[in-house]
Amino acid sequence: MSPRRIAVVGASAAGLAAAEALRRFGWTGTLTLVGDEPHPPYDRPPLSKQLLQGAWQPDKLHLRAAEQLDALGLDLRLGTRATGLDTAARTLTLAGGERLACDGVIVATGVAARTLPAAAGLDGVHTLRTLDDALALKERLSGTGRRLVVVGNGVLGCEAAAVARELGHDVTLVGREALPMARTVGPRIGELLAAEHRERGVELRTAAVGGFEADGDGPARHVTAVRLADGTRLPADTVLVAIGSEPAVGWLHGAPDLDTTDGLRCDAYCAAAPGVYAAGDVARWQHPVHGRHLRVEHRMNATEQGMAAARNLLAELAETLPDDGTLAPAAGRERRPFTPVPYFWSDQYGLKLQAYGVLHGADRSEATVLDPDARKAVALYGRDGQATGVLAIGVPPRQVRGLRALIATPAPWEEAREGVRNALA
């Protein structure tokens, strides 16, 4: 009989959390952790903040020290891509053709940065998803007097624009939405963020990008300007394309029983198929409380979902594997639905945004500006008559925790609205 094996695909925060939980919950068999980057698991949020700013060095991003990884007894495959998954045979294929027979698989491959076809092959045009991406952009911004155009005014674009401006560079922030992060936070909070960026010297443009201009020939062509769809030319020696991401599911397209529309579709237990679970940015799972499938690209969710997927996979395997000592008795616990209260934060200049619940897909929002000069505000978000999310800027931690309690489960809009007023009193 071949050795028992669980494979975690994605050496990410979600993947590491899953691997640690598998050991903690009693898996003693082979534990393979596959990562397509050569780096050990690291934290991604600081890429657009502390690392880009130069406050942190790359080794500070490591989620665990080398000895902590060694203690997990991992079959660690860094710099290795997964290229296919046979869900019926539970066989994972790696680049180079190696096939691993698995008792269970956890998919934690995250997302990949979107780019623009016109940017292909141009020096000076960057994306920001990986550590190598961040180091390349950091080196580019290490000089003085850069003219940076950030294409995309979502969370990532706004954070990078803020850092670049604090480093002293000329920054233009271009987005299809009229206000920064408006698709996520709504117009009133977007107005506050726009005011902060303008006050700090960032030029804001609302437009689609039509193309790029460059000098040089062949592979040595370097970007010199961004052309907007209306014909406006924005001079630039550095461009960051921050137009969102795509779930990294291309390697799963050969598995016909998996639904890879907008991530890997899972049930409430994070299961995509028997013995196949998902966690982190790539997972689109049925949230029992909100009654719909969600895919959450936030750091806290990655850790929580990695642990939940590990626990539920082991509970499933405890029912199907022979009692050969590979699973400790604790692994036989029942599966539990994954029902988190999503949380994300963003740091821009001196502002700290914190949000709980589900803001995306809201059909109603209401913002209370407590202090426009200090950019202090609270916003409530809802859908179908229920309050589903809340966001705070510049609010003390105690009050933020009180706001979280209001939307831990969707509440009637007027009831939550009154709760916000009481929490801020």
Side-chain angles (χ1 to χ4, degrees):
M1 184 173 59
S2 61
R4 298 293 180 194
R5 180 195 304 271
I6 292 177
V8 179
V9 186
S12 55
L16 177 62
E20 291 180 326
L22 287 167
R23 289 300 192 212
R24 186 165 63 251
F25 295 149
W27 180 256
T28 63
T30 301
L31 181 52
T32 300
L33 180 61
V34 180
D36 61 355
E37 295 184 58
H39 311 290
Y42 61 87
D43 214 10
R44 293 188 191 275
L47 295 180
S48 59
K49 298 184 275 287
Q50 292 93 338
L51 184 78
L52 191 60
Q53 196 170 43
W56 287 13
Q57 294 303 309
D59 58 358
K60 191 168 182 179
L61 274 65
H62 292 170
L63 290 171
R64 298 293 180 269
E67 57 270 21
Q68 293 174 305
L69 290 178
D70 291 343
L72 294 173
L74 298 175
D75 170 28
L76 189 58
R77 311 289 189 97
L78 296 178
T80 302
R81 288 186 304 108
T83 59
L85 177 63
D86 183 332
T87 54
R90 240 170 265 181
T91 301
L92 179 69
T93 302
L94 304 181
E98 185 179 3
R99 293 167 63 83
L100 303 178
C102 303
D103 294 290
V105 175
I106 296 178
V107 177
T109 45
V111 296
R114 289 194 186 109
T115 188
L116 295 170
L122 287 184
D123 184 38
V125 179
H126 299 258
T127 56
L128 183 50
R129 172 63 190 171
T130 69
L131 175 57
D132 291 340
D133 290 341
L135 291 174
L137 182 58
K138 177 177 179 291
E139 181 178 1
R140 187 74 197 153
L141 296 178
S142 62
T144 57
R146 294 291 184 195
R147 296 175 299 177
L148 172 68
V149 173
V150 180
V151 180
N153 61 359
V155 177
L156 180 63
C158 287
E159 290 180 348
V163 169
R165 190 70 196 102
E166 289 178 323
L167 291 173
H169 303 296
D170 293 331
V171 179
T172 302
L173 183 60
V174 180
R176 289 178 176 269
E177 300 291 332
L179 296 166
M181 293 175 55
R183 185 174 298 180
T184 300
V185 302
R188 190 66 187 93
I189 300 300
E191 289 170 359
L192 286 183
L193 296 177
E196 183 71 11
H197 280 281
R198 288 194 183 100
E199 188 174 294
R200 301 282 184 159
V202 174
E203 181 181 357
L204 303 182
R205 294 287 189 125
T206 305
V209 170
F212 300 91
E213 296 179 9
D215 60 13
D217 298 312
R221 296 175 67 234
H222 188 91
V223 68
T224 57
V226 175
R227 283 187 288 103
L228 303 183
D230 64 5
T232 302
R233 181 180 183 275
L234 302 177
D237 50 44
T238 308
V239 175
L240 172 62
V241 178
I243 55 174
S245 57
E246 296 284 352
V249 293
W251 65 284
L252 294 170
H253 288 168
D257 55 336
L258 297 179
D259 182 347
T260 55
T261 305
D262 187 29
L264 181 54
R265 182 186 174 104
C266 302
D267 63 15
Y269 303 95
C270 306
V276 179
Y277 288 69
D281 297 359
V282 74
R284 182 167 61 91
W285 89 103
Q286 177 70 21
H287 196 299
V289 175
H290 290 278
R292 58 187 170 117
H293 278 83
L294 299 178
R295 190 171 65 80
V296 178
E297 293 186 30
H298 302 317
R299 175 65 178 83
M300 293 299 295
N301 185 76
T303 297
E304 293 174 354
Q305 196 165 25
M307 293 188 291
R311 182 185 60 245
N312 287 336
L313 171 60
L314 290 185
E316 177 186 326
L317 294 181
E319 299 294 325
T320 58
L321 292 183
D323 186 10
D324 59 3
T326 307
L327 272 172
R333 65 189 68 185
E334 293 184 356
R335 297 196 308 162
R336 296 202 298 267
F338 181 54
T339 59
V341 179
Y343 168 75
F344 87 87
W345 77 95
S346 176
D347 296 312
Q348 298 172 37
Y349 310 106
L351 301 182
K352 185 169 210 54
L353 288 72
Q354 298 183 78
Y356 286 100
V358 178
L359 280 58
H360 179 72
D363 58 26
R364 184 176 187 180
S365 66
E366 181 178 292
T368 301
V369 179
L370 306 171
D371 185 342
D373 295 331
R375 318 286 192 231
K376 184 177 179 181
V378 170
L380 187 66
Y381 303 82
R383 177 180 170 127
D384 299 330
Q386 301 285 305
T388 60
V390 65
L391 177 144
I393 304 176
V395 174
R398 178 185 59 81
Q399 290 181 317
V400 172
R401 289 192 294 271
L403 294 171
R404 177 191 185 279
L406 296 174
I407 48 83
T409 57
W413 178 264
E414 290 301 330
E415 178 182 319
R417 192 180 182 210
E418 181 65 26
V420 169
R421 286 197 289 264
N422 292 336
L424 298 176

